[in-house]
Amino acid sequence: MRISIIGAGIAGLSAAAYLSYAGHEVTIFEKNATPGGRARQWVTKEGYVFDMGPSWYWMPDVFDNFFADFGYKTSDFYQLVRLDPAFTVTFGKGRQYDIPSGFDSLKSLFDQIEPGAGSKLEAFMKGARFKYEKGMQELVYKPGISLREYADPALLKGIMQLQVFSSFHTHVRKYFSDPRLINLMEFPVLFLGAMPKETPALYSLMNYAGLLLGTWYPKGGFGMVVDALVSVCEAQGVQFRFNAPVERILAENGLVTGLLVEDSVIASDAVIAAADYHHVETKLLDPAWRNYDLPYWKSRVMAPSALIFYVGTTKRFPALKHHTLFFDEDFGKHALEIYKQPSWPSRPLFYVCCPSRTDPGVAPPGHENLFLLMPLAPGLLDEEGTRETYYHIMMDRLEEHLGEKVRPHVDYKKSYCVSDFQTDYNAFKGNAYGLANTLRQTALFKPKIRNRHLPNLFYAGQLTVPGPGVPPALISGKIAAGQVHSFFSKACV
Ligand SMILES: Cc1cc2nc3c(=O)[nH]c(=O)nc-3n(C[C@H](O)[C@H](O)[C@H](O)COP(=O)(O)OP(=O)(O)OC[C@H]3O[C@@H](n4cnc5c(N)ncnc54)[C@H](O)[C@@H]3O)c2cc1C
């Protein structure tokens, strides 16, 4: 069968690989010149290789499982380095902590910050591990179409332990009271999704993934993951069309018939739309065939956008770790300014990644490759002057942290913000990570992976199941491919 896929992000690449492996004729149409979507790389003429989006390689088992499905090992494509410290958190001058990769050292650190917190961490992680194993082995692979998928006695028995209905905020405070430990546990949900009060405690599985399974780095950067996916696709015979924005999804008699791409009609027996769901529905589909109307989208809680700076320096900074979280300002206030009163933050938290500390190959010799990211409410105006103000706010604090100047050594600088997400990826409100991980937007309540009116149109990517992040996007492609497969199996009966 001829299957067209819209978007060469992680989800589109994953779906294409599975469908081509199953024997279909698969073509991916991508509006940009290169694959990877939000996980693209930006290579400069000065010799810097910037990962434009993801930098935290968590849940290595999900990547391993993907490659294994095609008879490969992850190490066939790239080398993984386990970071130790996994990351550094600074709560202000002289109050910084390296988060070790070993669990015993991590427990000692927790005890040092709050007496007795080491054993509480052990108890917290016991529950988090259960959620990770149940969640990542069973829940995330469900298409989220019907309640019946969850009517499995073993799953129902464990549902209370999964803590889908209690809040992450309350859950963390049952174990820890020191604000630094609370911030440390809450950062993955805040940066990737929603206010901890509105996030189900289920998401403590992220703490298990980050603190126990490890923070890894693919040598060469995340671009190596994208190259690996492209290689898997090519080996299965997937065709790529770059600089090929899809303009319309065509349908007749209740079925998708093809795509309109640069004034040409591409006949298709099924389509997977792996571009932003909102864009697909509002720009590519006739109103009669949409799953959701505009009020639906208006009522969605989006995950943050971001202000990013890709910076190259002619000097190296040995005191800087691979990942540094700047939690030297009020966590709650910044969260409010992202989720409740959308505005440019008064005193932002932010994050600095310096992959050249681990991998000098991503910068010219003797240089450093820096990525500064500040989470931001989606939909804000992002004029050059505003971006520049925040560049200096972040740089002031980075320089104070390092005890030396960075700005005089900058020989490359590029900013990226809300409007760039909109232009480059057709991202709704310029979101970086899709929908917030609130209870009302989890699993069954996410935008559906199948179109209600056109049975051969499917969706994949971070706005549908299972959600944002590179591992979920890989899984999303697999689920969507499975749905296409069952559509054709039913059609043949
Ligand atoms: C700044 C940032 C940091 C992140 N950090 C991490 C991290 O550390 N770890 C992690 O796991 N995840 C991280 N993420 C999340 C992760 O990168 C995403 O969840 C994932 O890459 C999304 O993949 P996707 O395939 O769903 O979407 P996308 O990557 O957006 O892919 C969709 C593709 O569709 C294309 N497209 C759009 N419209 C059309 C059209 N009309 N025609 C043709 N093509 C079209 C787009 O150009 C794009 O290539 C981060 C994301 C961002 C933005």
Side-chain angles (χ1 to χ4, degrees):
M1 296 291 175
R2 296 157 306 172
I3 298 168
S4 297
I5 296 190
I6 308 173
I10 302 289
L13 291 169
S14 162
Y18 282 107
L19 286 167
S20 203
Y21 185 68
H24 299 290
E25 207 181 292
V26 181
T27 309
I28 305 187
F29 297 88
E30 166 57 53
K31 76 182 271 293
N32 293 327
T34 54
R38 285 162 165 88
R40 283 181 302 162
Q41 274 187 330
W42 175 257
V43 182
T44 75
K45 61 176 175 12
E46 293 82 0
Y48 293 105
V49 180
F50 293 108
D51 281 323
M52 293 191 71
S55 52
W56 300 74
Y57 190 104
W58 280 6
M59 309 182 180
D61 50 320
V62 174
F63 297 82
D64 294 348
N65 291 342
F66 173 84
F67 293 121
D69 282 344
F70 300 92
Y72 300 111
K73 294 191 294 298
T74 303
S75 58
D76 292 334
F77 300 102
Y78 49 87
Q79 188 197 337
L80 281 177
V81 180
R82 185 166 184 168
L83 300 179
D84 193 8
F87 53 96
T88 295
V89 189
T90 173
F91 296 99
K93 193 84 191 138
R95 293 194 307 141
Q96 74 181 57
Y97 298 92
D98 284 346
I99 307 303
S101 69
F103 192 51
D104 286 340
S105 314
L106 184 64
K107 281 196 300 183
S108 306
L109 176 67
F110 270 55
D111 277 332
Q112 191 190 316
I113 298 177
E114 179 184 323
S119 50
K120 289 189 184 152
L121 178 67
E122 197 153 2
F124 180 96
M125 284 301 177
K126 213 170 148 213
R129 178 183 178 162
F130 173 83
K131 290 175 206 164
Y132 185 84
E133 287 171 354
K134 263 289 184 240
M136 296 310 290
Q137 280 158 21
E138 298 179 29
L139 285 181
V140 291
Y141 287 94
K142 295 197 182 294
I145 291 168
S146 128
L147 253 182
R148 279 198 304 272
E149 293 164 32
Y150 303 88
D152 156 18
L155 191 63
L156 288 176
K157 206 170 135 220
I159 206 99
M160 291 318 285
Q161 282 166 278
L162 288 173
Q163 296 186 299
V164 177
F165 302 110
S166 49
S167 100
F168 190 87
H169 174 96
T170 314
H171 181 61
V172 168
R173 282 160 183 76
K174 276 189 195 146
Y175 292 85
F176 311 108
S177 46
D178 188 286
R180 288 164 294 181
L181 294 184
I182 291 174
N183 284 180
L184 179 63
M185 302 308 270
E186 286 188 342
F187 104 83
V189 303
L190 181 79
F191 269 41
L192 269 179
M195 295 282 283
K197 272 189 180 149
E198 284 155 19
T199 304
L202 166 72
Y203 284 100
S204 67
L205 66 85
M206 297 279 285
N207 301 109
Y208 178 75
L211 294 172
L212 258 127
L213 297 181
T215 297
W216 300 78
Y217 171 75
K219 262 193 124 179
F222 255 84
M224 298 299 287
V225 180
V226 174
D227 288 353
L229 297 185
V230 170
S231 300
V232 173
C233 282
E234 284 174 346
Q236 317 307 318
V238 174
Q239 298 293 311
F240 285 90
R241 292 267 309 271
F242 292 108
N243 299 309
V246 173
E247 286 143 40
R248 209 82 199 140
I249 298 172
L250 307 170
E252 253 173 50
N253 302 325
L255 280 178
V256 165
T257 52
L259 299 178
L260 186 66
V261 184
E262 294 170 316
D263 295 333
S264 307
V265 172
I266 313 291
S268 316
D269 299 305
V271 166
I272 294 187
D276 266 40
Y277 204 120
H278 167 269
H279 162 72
V280 173
E281 288 259 306
T282 58
K283 296 285 183 304
L284 308 187
L285 270 179
D286 281 353
W289 298 326
R290 293 176 189 169
N291 271 352
Y292 304 102
D293 56 16
L294 290 176
Y296 171 86
W297 288 110
K298 249 183 136 175
S299 68
R300 293 305 86 187
V301 183
M302 300 311 291
S305 185
L307 169 64
I308 302 167
F309 283 96
Y310 308 102
V311 173
T313 61
T314 53
K315 187 174 189 291
R316 303 212 69 192
F317 298 100
L320 190 57
K321 298 288 170 22
H322 191 115
H323 293 297
T324 310
L325 298 165
F326 285 79
F327 287 177
D328 44 348
E329 291 290 358
D330 182 8
F331 209 75
K333 179 138 180 61
H334 190 176
L336 276 179
E337 290 162 339
I338 297 175
Y339 296 105
K340 299 290 174 196
Q341 298 142 10
S343 49
W344 280 85
S346 29
R347 306 180 78 87
L349 307 176
F350 66 101
Y351 151 65
V352 176
C353 180
C354 184
S356 47
R357 289 278 91 225
T358 310
D359 184 3
V362 295
H367 291 224
E368 214 79 88
N369 170 324
L370 301 176
F371 167 99
L372 283 69
L373 179 147
M374 182 181 92
L376 190 65
L380 296 181
L381 256 184
D382 60 355
E383 287 151 341
E384 198 47 48
T386 316
R387 295 184 188 201
E388 200 55 18
T389 302
Y390 284 88
Y391 172 72
H392 291 293
I393 291 175
M394 290 192 272
M395 275 295 182
D396 283 345
R397 280 157 61 190
L398 174 61
E399 289 175 352
E400 195 198 343
H401 171 72
L402 291 175
E404 60 178 316
K405 292 280 176 212
V406 175
R407 277 166 284 193
H409 308 289
V410 169
D411 72 338
Y412 184 83
K413 177 179 153 202
K414 174 184 160 76
S415 69
Y416 201 90
C417 201
V418 178
S419 54
D420 300 299
F421 283 105
Q422 281 165 332
T423 311
D424 285 357
Y425 310 119
N426 290 320
F428 180 43
K429 295 188 181 173
N431 78 81
Y433 318 113
L435 285 172
N437 286 325
T438 62
L439 175 58
R440 285 196 284 173
Q441 298 185 158
T442 295
L444 264 182
F445 308 117
K446 283 215 186 280
K448 293 284 181 235
I449 204 156
R450 279 199 325 221
N451 183 284
R452 258 186 295 147
H453 314 285
L454 305 166
N456 56 346
L457 173 60
F458 306 87
Y459 304 81
Q462 61 176 11
L463 275 100
T464 181
V465 285
V470 174
L474 271 179
I475 293 170
S476 176
K478 181 172 185 174
I479 303 174
Q483 290 294 308
V484 173
H485 199 67
S486 10
F487 166 74
F488 286 129
S489 315
K490 278 185 207 138
C492 291
V493 175

